[in-house]
Amino acid sequence: MPVFLSSRFLFFCIIVPLLISITLYQLDTFDPAHHPADSLISSTASIPPLINERFLTGAEFIGVGLLNSPEDIAYHEDSGFIYTGCVDGWVKRVKVAESVNDSFVEDLVNTGGRPLGIAFGIHGEVIVADAYKGLLNISGDGKKTELLTEEADGVRFKLPDAVTVADNGVLYFTDGSYKYNLHQFSFDILEGKPHGRLMSFDPTTKVTRVLLRDLYFANGVSMSPDQTHLVFCETPIRRCSKYYINGGRVELFIQGLPGYPDNIRYDGDGHYWIALPSGVTTLWNISLKYPFLRKLTAMVAKYGVDLMFMENAGVLQVDLDGNPIAYYHDPKLSHIATCDKIGKYLYCGSLSQSHILRLDLLKYPAQNKKL
C-alpha cells in the first residue's frame, strides 16, 4: 500500500473518530463526581463465616409467568399472603404453601405506576412506595387507593423506593433520587452525587418530613425491633446506616458490603436480611472509582447500551449490630431485590424475573467454608 494511502487510512479510520469522540465527550454536560473515599474500600469484615455460594441449586420458583418483576415483597402473617408490586403496575398477593405447586397468585389493584416498596399499615392497609405516583395507601380489599404524599419541602419525589411502618403508624420511606426517575436510575448512580432522601409521613397530621438528605441513592429501609431507629441502605457506596428517630443521630451500621444493597428486611428473630442485586464486579469497581469512565458509560447508555452488568446476586444476613452471619449468593444469579425470611424459607423478589425465589434454609444452609 502506498505511503499516502496508509496515512489517509490512519487519518480517517483512527484519528478522525478519536477527535470526534473527544469532542463529544467534552460537549456532553453529564458531570460525574468522585464517590466518598471510604465507600470504595473493600473489607473482609463484611464477609460472614457462613456461606452458600450455590443459591440457585436449591431454589424453587413461585408464581412463574404471573409475576412481572416482583421487586419488593411483604408477608401478611394473618392471611398467609405475600404481597408484591410488579413492573406492569399490579400489586399482587401470593398464597404460599409447603408445595410450590399449591401456591397461587391474585391481582389486588393496579396503581397505574410502578409499585416498589410494600409494607402494612397498623389498620391492615397496604402501604406502597410507587416510583411514579408517590406514597400510596391501599385498602385491605384493594377497592380504595389514596395518595398520601408526593413531595417534601416543595420537591416532588422522583423515585419513591422503600417503606416501613412504625408501631405508632408513622411511615418512613426513601426517595432514591429527586433528580432522576426510575427509568433513569442508572444515571443517578453513574453521576455519583447524593440526590437521595429519607423521609417520614404521619397519617394523623398528614405532614411529610425530610429526615435526611444528600444520600447516595437511598434504597431499602427497615424499622428496628425496639422502634428506636431505622436502618437504611445507600446502593452505590455499599453502605447501610442507622438513623435514630429521637434526635436524628446517624451512625454506621455496615459498609464494604460484598454487593450493592437494595432492600433490607428484619425477620422478627434478631436478624436483618440485605438483598444484593449484584455482587461487586471488576467493571463496577473501576467505574465507580473513576468519574471519567462513568461519563463514558453514561454516554453509551443514552443509546440504549448497558455496560454495567449485574451478576453474583444474593443476600446477606446480619445481626442487630450489623455483624455478618451468613451470605447466600450465586454467580449465575442477578437482580435480587428483596429477601424476606418466613419460617424456614427465604423468599426473594426480583427486578427482572417473572417469579419469586424460595430457598429452604434448613435443606440448603450456609456453611463454614473454613471446615
Side-chain angles (χ1 to χ4, degrees):
M1 180 182 293
V3 175
F4 77 92
L5 287 179
S6 298
S7 300
R8 181 176 297 177
F9 177 84
L10 178 65
F11 181 76
F12 283 104
C13 293
I14 299 179
I15 303 300
V16 171
L18 180 60
L19 292 175
I20 292 175
S21 299
I22 293 174
T23 302
L24 290 175
Y25 181 90
Q26 293 176 335
L27 292 176
D28 195 291
T29 57
F30 189 75
D31 183 28
H34 287 279
H35 280 107
D38 60 352
S39 71
L40 301 172
I41 298 173
S42 294
S43 172
T44 56
S46 66
I47 304 298
L50 304 177
I51 295 178
N52 177 341
E53 56 190 16
R54 290 293 180 265
F55 189 108
L56 287 173
T57 299
E60 299 176 285
F61 306 135
I62 297 175
V64 177
L66 300 175
L67 301 170
N68 193 348
S69 301
E71 197 265 358
D72 195 14
I73 60 175
Y75 180 60
H76 192 267
E77 188 173 357
D78 292 341
S79 66
F81 278 102
I82 287 177
Y83 285 68
T84 187
C86 299
V87 73
D88 52 13
W90 279 102
V91 174
K92 301 191 177 190
R93 51 191 183 186
V94 184
K95 187 69 172 182
V96 297
E98 188 66 25
S99 171
V100 170
N101 295 328
D102 293 332
S103 300
F104 62 89
V105 178
E106 293 181 349
D107 295 340
L108 182 65
V109 65
N110 195 305
T111 67
R114 198 333 178 178
L116 292 176
I118 291 187
F120 300 109
I122 60 175
H123 302 297
E125 64 272 39
V126 183
I127 308 298
V128 173
D130 189 295
Y132 294 109
K133 299 294 183 176
L135 197 64
L136 306 177
N137 182 317
I138 301 172
S139 60
D141 57 10
K143 294 182 178 180
K144 181 181 178 182
T145 299
E146 175 190 3
L147 174 63
L148 297 176
T149 178
E150 59 183 350
E151 67 175 30
D153 290 351
V155 179
R156 286 179 63 91
F157 312 146
K158 278 292 186 71
L159 215 168
D161 203 332
V163 60
T164 189
V165 182
D167 287 348
N168 62 3
V170 175
L171 315 179
Y172 295 92
F173 64 104
T174 56
D175 184 20
S177 175
Y178 63 77
K179 181 175 181 178
Y180 296 97
N181 64 30
L182 181 61
H183 286 302
Q184 304 165 327
F185 83 93
S186 61
F187 292 102
D188 188 276
I189 293 175
L190 292 170
E191 187 173 325
K193 297 175 183 177
H195 302 128
R197 295 181 290 176
L198 175 66
M199 290 168 289
S200 68
F201 176 80
D202 189 329
T204 302
T205 63
K206 309 297 183 184
V207 172
T208 305
R209 294 178 55 220
V210 178
L211 306 177
L212 292 175
R213 44 175 56 87
D214 299 330
L215 301 177
Y216 291 88
F217 201 85
N219 212 320
V221 59
S222 182
M223 175 64 68
S224 66
D226 62 6
Q227 302 286 301
T228 62
H229 62 274
L230 305 165
V231 180
F232 66 91
C233 304
E234 293 175 274
T235 300
I237 60 175
R238 295 187 287 128
R239 178 174 71 191
C240 299
S241 302
K242 291 182 180 180
Y243 172 83
Y244 286 88
I245 295 170
N246 291 329
R249 179 166 56 91
V250 178
E251 67 179 40
L252 181 66
F253 182 66
I254 186 173
Q255 68 178 349
L257 293 167
Y260 303 92
D262 195 325
N263 285 299
I264 179 170
R265 278 276 190 265
Y266 177 65
D267 65 5
D269 194 31
H271 307 112
Y272 291 100
W273 297 80
I274 306 171
L276 308 170
S278 176
V280 179
T281 67
T282 300
L283 182 58
W284 269 102
N285 221 11
I286 295 175
S287 295
L288 292 177
K289 187 175 182 180
Y290 299 105
F292 83 92
L293 290 178
R294 280 185 273 124
K295 181 169 182 174
L296 291 174
T297 302
M299 291 174 65
V300 173
K302 292 177 182 178
Y303 295 95
V305 180
D306 184 7
L307 297 178
M308 307 306 286
F309 303 110
M310 293 186 179
E311 61 184 19
N312 201 21
V315 56
L316 184 68
Q317 178 191 21
V318 301
D319 65 19
L320 295 181
D321 295 317
N323 299 309
I325 296 174
Y327 181 31
Y328 299 80
H329 67 107
D330 196 298
K332 298 180 180 179
L333 187 61
S334 68
H335 295 88
I336 289 295
T338 306
C339 290
D340 202 348
K341 182 179 179 293
I342 305 169
K344 67 175 182 177
Y345 293 109
L346 187 64
Y347 291 84
C348 300
S350 172
L351 289 164
S352 63
Q353 300 300 320
S354 61
H355 54 256
I356 290 174
L357 282 174
R358 185 174 81 173
L359 184 70
D360 188 326
L361 296 175
L362 298 181
K363 287 185 178 179
Y364 304 96
Q367 299 179 338
N368 194 327
K369 307 307 291 185
K370 296 179 181 180
L371 296 180

